[in-house]
């Protein structure tokens, strides 16, 4: 269930359907297309992500994992991201799995910042989002900001492996 603060009362069904539909569509993409769509979302709303992630203040819990990723080779960094999406159990994906929901959102923001800075493998300049990814981006773009953050948060929360589960 999704709630929007300071908004008129709206049926949770009206909010949940487009949000859950966008989440399902996102998860239906192939691994690299999910990573590409995350990049496009970062490029379009990245600056708004950290203020929307209250756990960002606790990002120090993810700093060790971020440093570990920066120390990987580019191919290892890409494999780490793929392993997160595919929920493959590795020490790094399990370390991600214990982060809080908001810290996971902030982690992806920091990861994208590192990609942009060149300290983590960037998305190739020739990369083009496929038709399905473009459609899902359009679907997410039509949501209000709180719903967009909810979609993004739910997508990244589902990634990795929770070793305590």
């Amino acid at each position: 269930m999704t709630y929007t603060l300071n908004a008129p009362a709206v049926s949770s069904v009206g909010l949940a359907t487009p949000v859950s539909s966008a989440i399902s569509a996102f998860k239906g993409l192939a691994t690299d297309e999910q990573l590409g769509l995350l990049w496009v979302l970062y490029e379009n709303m990245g600056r708004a992500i950290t203020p929307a992630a209250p756990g960002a203040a606790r990002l120090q819990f993810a700093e060790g994992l971020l440093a570990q990723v920066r120390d990987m080779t580019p191919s290892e960094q890409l494999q780490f991201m793929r392993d997160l999406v595919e929920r493959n159990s590795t020490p790094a994906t399990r370390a991600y799995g214990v982060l809080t929901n908001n810290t996971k959102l902030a982690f992806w923001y920091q990861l994208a910042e590192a990609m942009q800075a060149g300290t983590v493998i960037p998305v190739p300049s020739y990369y083009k989002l496929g038709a399905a990814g473009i459609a899902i981006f359009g679907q997410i773009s039509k949501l209000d900001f709180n719903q967009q953050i909810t979609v993004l948060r739910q997508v990244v929360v589902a990634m990795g492996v929770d070793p305590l589960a």
Side-chain angles (χ1 to χ4, degrees):
M1 189 177 304
T2 304
Y3 295 97
T4 304
L5 300 176
N6 301 322
V10 178
S11 162
S12 64
V13 173
L15 291 175
T17 301
V19 169
S20 62
S21 174
I23 293 166
S24 294
F26 189 104
K27 290 179 179 180
L29 293 172
T31 299
D32 286 348
E33 193 78 351
Q34 285 186 39
L35 292 172
L37 182 51
L38 278 174
W39 178 252
V40 170
L41 289 168
Y42 162 78
E43 285 186 312
N44 285 275
M45 61 185 288
R47 299 292 172 241
I49 294 171
T50 50
R58 292 186 227 138
L59 193 58
Q60 70 267 19
F61 297 121
E63 275 303 322
L65 181 57
L66 285 165
Q68 183 181 345
V69 172
R70 283 191 289 271
D71 289 344
M72 294 175 179
T73 65
S75 62
E76 290 170 332
Q77 291 169 345
L78 179 56
Q79 187 58 52
F80 165 72
M81 289 183 246
R82 287 175 172 158
D83 285 342
L84 282 176
V85 171
E86 295 170 1
R87 306 197 67 209
N88 293 328
S89 183
T90 69
T93 60
R94 289 189 300 274
Y96 175 88
V98 298
L99 300 175
T100 66
N101 294 355
N102 286 330
T103 303
K104 287 177 182 178
L105 183 60
F107 175 87
W108 275 98
Y109 171 80
Q110 290 298 320
L111 195 61
E113 288 281 296
M115 291 168 69
Q116 191 169 55
T119 57
V120 170
I121 187 171
V123 173
S125 59
Y126 58 83
Y127 176 79
K128 298 285 185 219
L129 198 57
I134 291 169
I136 297 165
F137 176 76
Q139 188 178 355
I140 294 169
S141 296
K142 292 176 186 171
L143 301 173
D144 71 35
F145 177 74
N146 288 332
Q147 291 173 317
Q148 290 173 352
I149 291 295
T150 298
V151 169
L152 194 53
R153 182 180 288 117
Q154 292 305 310
V155 164
V156 301
V157 163
M159 295 179 180
V161 176
D162 184 352
L164 305 175

